[in-house]
């Protein structure tokens, strides 16, 4: 078989020799259009959980090749995990090519969200994180929202260039390209997407009318995202798939919130105030006194405090304590990468301690909504 034959769903090199290895395709499937590997077939038809961790070194080298091309780069960010899905040092890979920052999964924010405010917030966040962007667009690739503006911006920035779509795993790169293919072209192909990170395995070129292409890429794996370190079956609990319903807790100092036994939030010091939790509504929150928290955890982790189950807990890194100070006069929120964020509504300041699996990214930021 030609070595270059690639799966049109995930980009893997196809082979017909080893059914248990990546890229396997049975002979009869080669006659179908589009040609997809067995793994993509299973993900697509049986929702199978077969995510891979693409070799990061190979992939980052591939990404570095963008610097030597004349292209437009779409950097997709997941609005549910903004700081966690941001590629730090993006310029290193893409050189001086322009970046269109696309913030995806906007359907997860409460319906009343003001998109213009979010755009301003995103521009400021990008700047603070050292990311130079030509423009910002918000969308929901899944629901097809925001595409008129996105396309206008894409057209004006592209000017006859190839378009590379890059981002962390699971940000929605393939879903976004599928939406473009389906609504704005008559191509047959469909990229494979799934609930689990690590779906796309190689670059996939999709031709555009002018001889250029839009290129899907594998996601970058960031271990600082809870969604990368929890066992796969937990993802459907951890990640929301409907608009987040924020839940408000009035807390006195020395009170604790448990998010299952995934994360613990201690309000260590400060005047009584309310905290709003933007997390998946499938993770039960348990409130207790700080002085009882250690004991409660020891007795009830993985059971009353679940998810995860006790078995799953064994596969998750141990907690470390991260102290966070929210200054007086600051309306801030604490992002816990993969879990969501908690907004401190008071402006009297607060001392908080987050207990989260070691390595989890915690960021304090100005509030998004
Ligand atoms: N709620 C919501 N979910 C989305 C949106 N776009 C994508 N998703 C979901 O996010 C998950 C990942 O989507 P993919 O398109 O496979 O993400 P990807 O960036 O290509 O992921 P990798 O190939 O693993 O890097 C899937 O469950 C999608 O349905 C969106 O706009 N809103
Ligand atoms: Mg993909």
């Amino acid at each position: 078989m030609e070595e270059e034959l690639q799966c049109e769903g995930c980009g893997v090199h196809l082979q017909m020799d080893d059914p248990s290895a990546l890229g396997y395709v049975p002979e009869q499937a080669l006659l179908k259009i589009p040609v997809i590997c067995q793994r993509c077939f299973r993900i697509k038809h049986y929702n199978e959980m077969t995510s891979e961790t693409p070799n990061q070194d190979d992939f980052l080298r591939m990404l570095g090749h963008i610097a030597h091309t004349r292209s437009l780069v779409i950097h997709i960010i997941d609005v549910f995990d903004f700081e966690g899905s941001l590629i730090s040092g993006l310029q290193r890979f893409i050189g001086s090519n322009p970046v269109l920052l696309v913030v995806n999964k906007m359907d997860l924010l409460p319906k009343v969200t003001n998109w213009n405010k979010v755009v301003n917030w995103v521009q400021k966040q990008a700047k603070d994180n050292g990311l130079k962007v030509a423009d910002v667009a918000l969308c929901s690739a899944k629901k097809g929202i925001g595409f008129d503006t996105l396309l206008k911006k894409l057209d004006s920035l592209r000017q006859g260039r190839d378009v590379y779509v890059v981002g962390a795993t699971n940000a929605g790169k393939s879903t976004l390209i599928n939406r473009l293919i389906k609504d704005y072209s008559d191509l047959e192909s469909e990229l494979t997407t799934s609930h689990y990170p690590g779906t796309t395995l190689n670059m996939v070129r999709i031709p555009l009318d002018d001889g250029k292409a839009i290129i899907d890429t594998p996601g970058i794996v960031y271990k600082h995202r809870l969604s990368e370190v929890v066992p796969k079956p937990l993802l459907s609990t951890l990640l929301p798939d409907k608009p987040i319903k924020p839940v408000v807790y009035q807390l006195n100092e020395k009170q604790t919130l448990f998010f299952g036994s995934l994360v613990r939030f201690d309000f260590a010091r400060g005047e009584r105030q309310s905290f709003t939790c933007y997390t998946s509504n499938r993770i039960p929150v348990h409130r207790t006194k700080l002085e009882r928290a250690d004991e409660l955890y020891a007795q009830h982790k993985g059971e009353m405090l679940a998810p995860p189950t006790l078995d799953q807990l064994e596969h998750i890194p141990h907690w470390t304590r991260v102290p966070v100070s929210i200054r007086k006069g600051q309306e801030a929120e604490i992002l816990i990468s993969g879990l969501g964020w908690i907004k401190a509504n008071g402006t009297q300041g607060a001392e908080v301690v987050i207990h989260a699996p070691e390595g989890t990214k915690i960021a304090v930021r100005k509030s998004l909504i």
Side-chain angles (χ1 to χ4, degrees), residues 259-310:
F259 296 84
S261 41
L262 275 172
V263 169
R264 170 178 151 187
F265 172 95
D266 296 340
F267 177 27
R269 205 144 54 88
E271 280 171 40
R272 178 180 166 80
Q273 59 190 286
S274 70
F275 293 91
T276 311
C277 302
Y278 293 81
T279 57
S280 158
N281 298 110
R282 281 173 293 216
I283 300 184
V285 179
H286 191 97
R287 184 207 306 232
T288 187
K289 286 196 174 125
L290 179 55
E291 61 185 22
R292 290 201 50 221
D294 285 342
E295 191 193 328
L296 193 82
Y297 181 75
Q299 280 179 1
H300 297 295
K301 65 180 174 193
E303 286 164 356
M304 183 182 81
L305 300 175
T309 61
L310 268 183

Side-chain angles (χ1 to χ4, degrees), residues 26-238:
E27 199 171 342
Q28 68 275 20
L30 282 176
L31 303 173
K32 299 209 177 107
I33 294 176
V35 179
I36 58 170
C37 70
Q38 189 176 55
R39 172 178 166 273
C40 281
F41 185 85
R42 289 185 176 157
I43 293 176
K44 214 165 151 176
H45 295 283
Y46 311 120
N47 231 331
E48 204 168 276
M49 191 175 64
T50 66
S51 61
E52 300 289 326
T53 304
N55 182 315
Q56 286 291 292
D57 293 344
D58 286 356
F59 170 59
L60 292 178
R61 214 171 302 125
M62 234 189 316
L63 203 61
H65 151 88
I66 300 177
H68 310 294
T69 63
R70 189 178 162 272
S71 3
L72 170 67
V73 175
I74 294 187
H75 174 6
I76 299 207
I77 293 199
D78 178 345
V79 76
F80 185 63
D81 187 11
F82 190 92
E83 285 78 3
S85 61
L86 199 83
I87 307 178
S88 59
L90 180 66
Q91 247 83 31
R92 203 170 53 222
F93 301 114
I94 63 163
S96 55
N97 286 309
V99 177
L100 173 58
L101 192 68
V102 173
V103 179
N104 188 32
K105 308 201 185 181
M106 283 295 290
D107 56 291
L108 294 180
L109 297 187
K111 290 236 162 60
V112 296
T113 306
N114 178 334
W115 282 37
N116 289 331
K117 272 196 184 155
V118 176
V119 170
N120 292 337
W121 182 91
V122 169
Q123 267 157 348
K124 181 162 186 316
Q125 282 310 99
K127 200 167 157 223
D128 291 352
N129 283 279
L131 198 70
K132 236 179 81 198
V133 299
D135 213 336
V136 168
L138 311 180
C139 74
S140 163
K142 191 160 144 186
K143 306 270 182 208
I145 309 169
F147 277 71
D148 290 345
T149 311
L150 173 62
L151 276 172
K152 266 191 216 130
K153 297 190 168 180
L154 193 63
D155 267 351
S156 83
L157 289 169
R158 190 165 81 86
Q159 297 172 0
R161 301 162 190 247
D162 284 337
V163 182
Y164 283 87
V165 180
V166 304
T169 55
N170 231 28
K173 299 174 290 301
S174 306
T175 307
L176 179 106
I177 300 176
N178 279 343
R179 174 67 64 180
L180 294 172
I181 299 175
K182 202 165 122 232
D183 294 357
Y184 305 95
S185 80
D186 33 48
L187 288 169
E188 286 277 340
S189 69
E190 187 183 345
L191 299 162
T192 306
T193 66
S194 85
H195 213 67
Y196 308 103
T199 305
T200 305
L201 297 178
N202 206 339
M203 297 214 181
V204 185
R205 286 181 74 86
I206 290 128
L208 298 170
D209 293 343
D210 59 359
K212 297 291 168 184
I214 182 159
I215 299 130
D216 192 14
T217 68
I220 303 181
V221 179
Y222 287 123
K223 292 288 181 197
H224 59 232
R225 314 174 76 194
L226 262 184
S227 41
E228 288 284 359
V229 298
V230 302
K232 297 265 148 54
L234 251 181
L235 287 175
S236 50
T237 314
L238 185 66

Side-chain angles (χ1 to χ4, degrees), residues 2-19:
E2 300 256 313
E3 214 196 303
E4 319 64 280
L5 208 50
Q6 267 189 311
C7 168
E8 292 181 46
C10 71
V12 74
H13 289 295
L14 293 172
Q15 52 95 9
M16 288 193 294
D17 307 323
D18 182 356

